[in-house]
Amino acid sequence: MALAVATVLEPHRPPVCLVPATLLAQWKATAGALGLRIVTASHEAASRGRLPDTKRGMVIVDEAHHFRSPATWRYRHTAPWLLGRPVLLVTATPVVNRLTDLLHQLLLGIRDDALSAEGVVSLRALLGRGQGSPALAKVVIESAPAEGHRPARNGKLSHPEPSESQAAEAALARLDRLRLSRLPGTEALVRTVLRRAAASSPAALAAALRRYRNLLLHARDAANVGRPLDRAAIRRFAGELEEQLAWWELLPSTDDPNDLSLEDLDTIGEVLRESAGAEEAPDGKVERLRTLLADGKATLVFTSRRETVRYLRDRLAPPALAWCTGARAGLGPCPLPRATVLGWFREGGPSGAWPPARHLIATDVAAEGLDLQRAARVVHYDLPWTPMRLEQREGRAVRLGSLNASVEVVTFTPPAVVERALRMTRALALKARLPSRVGLGPSGGGLWRWRSELAELYSAGPASPGVAVVPAGPDGVLALFELHGLQTNGAERLAAALVWVASDGAWTEEESVVAERLAAAVAAPPVEAREPGRIKAALELLAAPIRSRLAASRAGRWSPPAADPVAHQVSLRLHRAVRQAARRRDLEALAGLERALGFVGRGHTAGESLELERLAGLPDGRFEREASRLPVAPGGWSAIEPRLGGVLLFVPA
């Protein structure tokens, strides 16, 4: 679908496809089958600053949620490279942890004030407040699969046995003997890492404890030479949880040179021995999985830990199970090429009899972008931190081309003691509700999809521009108006609004009100309006929403810098440079600096913000030279003109 869009919009230039390294072969194969030329680059290469040297043409970013954090090298290298290029972002899970995930992805391709004509002065302000807007429909397209093209999804829960709860309680009690840190934030982070490992498997806990012991030894060595432990080491230990739980800038510094409690070195040996012994004990969670797999239904089992993959592989055999962790894969104890193992579970895999394994145990590395259509069941052996991970896992089997009419999804719920400690299901439930606030997902349709539904509902009826009277109360006006940007070479439609204005002047664009008024107009067919006084009164009522939208479109020029300290800093330096150029009577410099001020005074893409950040750090002479070469501010309308498309005057019958 993305290649089709790129081909239509830019038929004579091959698009650049920026995709995860594991999906490069699939994109190349698809393009080859369609006879299309593409340029490919991987997310991993982008993290190292290795991007294609092409300067023009559309860029397709697959699995775009990997570009949700501007703090990553991947984002900081890619954002400037995308300057001035059309960008198509493709992802099934644009919101992972917070609504600003969507913001940072959008800013790769559009400016912060791109929707000002729609009443959204700043995307940063909107999504930063945790709000959505119908205007997002201008830049977000969500597709729903046609019924019957994908298998049904049948969800089930598998609950822990009493023996599992007892084992989990004992494991958490062992961890409680570790002090971890005198800093509450660091202590909570490290303890959560260890508890998460305990929730996965005894093998995962033992491995996490060994990593923690190595971290303690590193901290002790640092303390012995009078240096603090590099917090980056703790962040590496935390892995993905670091994004969930810690804002390091907010953690206080102390007189202690290390964040960790070195006293744990006296305790961790015993805790490790007890945890390692638990690997040999009976495991009720494993037995639940064994019972589930006994029916032979092709199953994908997802865990959060590499050690759990090995643990399950060894515990459940025979028969041998296929497994995949990152770059490694195999069948039972035998390593095999990753492509071979995953190929067994693809639609185009070996035909006829099944290959050596019917079940695949994998970490989340196999949960993204892969087509594993032979699988008839997906098992969440461990719960992830985000609904995005759940969706990615299930999407491997619940997809076009599946060999099954339905796919069973089994979630292993954690013991109550683990849930109380980690609140994983609560976190998943809270994050699952985030997309609907910006109009995404089945429960988010009320924000903007209703407009399309109304258009389809009434598209068959007659329509014409103008003014008509609807003999149905209450008193008010339902009107469509558009904003057009005027230039010397013509006009361009910038935005449209469908509003209801009550007789007291209160106005709204709410779905329920607008849809109700349209339905009333259809039920009581409008008649031509013949009273100039009534029309004049209606236009006076419409002045308020039109002025409000015009004010928002004009305010967009000045509002973003107030929220962006770097743009504000650059603006102040530009004003100083303008005064100096005026004293020199340097007209050429003045013209360039005025253009720069126009650019800085608008909203910016992520790449433009990084360019302003670079400019802010330059010395004065170089700053003035490079600032004068900033691009012309977008827009450039001589005026913005409102135009009425249709007005319905509602009067009591």
Side-chain angles (χ1 to χ4, degrees), residues 23-24 57 103 138 164 176 184 246 248 254 261 281 308 320 343 388 454 503 531 599 601 607 610 628 649:
L23 304 183
L24 282 171
L103 167 71
K138 299 275 284 188
E164 294 177 55
D176 287 342
W248 292 98
T254 67
S261 177
T308 301
M388 177 269 291
L454 284 179
S503 57
E531 302 177 35
F599 177 83
L610 288 172
S628 63
L649 310 179

Side-chain angles (χ1 to χ4, degrees), residues 412-434:
F412 277 40
T413 61
V417 64
V418 173
E419 176 58 27
R420 285 195 299 271
L422 294 174
R423 299 182 180 180
M424 296 166 65
T425 56
R426 179 175 178 272
L428 287 171
L430 289 173
K431 292 179 181 180
R433 292 198 288 269
L434 283 176

Side-chain angles (χ1 to χ4, degrees), residues 562-643:
D564 185 349
V566 174
H568 184 63
Q569 180 184 353
V570 172
S571 179
L572 291 176
R573 293 187 67 181
L574 283 171
H575 278 96
R576 286 198 298 270
V578 166
R579 289 194 295 270
Q580 293 166 2
R583 284 195 292 269
R584 299 193 308 265
R585 292 189 171 90
D586 188 340
L587 298 182
E588 183 178 351
L590 275 173
L593 291 169
E594 288 290 347
R595 286 195 303 271
L597 274 172
F599 177 83
V600 173
R602 295 296 304 265
H604 306 106
T605 67
E608 290 169 345
S609 294
L610 288 172
E611 175 63 12
L612 291 179
E613 187 179 305
R614 185 187 69 83
L615 275 177
L618 295 179
D620 287 343
R622 188 176 170 195
F623 169 84
E624 183 175 331
R625 288 195 303 273
E626 297 203 19
S628 63
R629 293 198 291 267
L630 285 171
V632 177
W637 314 112
S638 58
I640 298 179
E641 178 183 87
R643 298 179 184 177

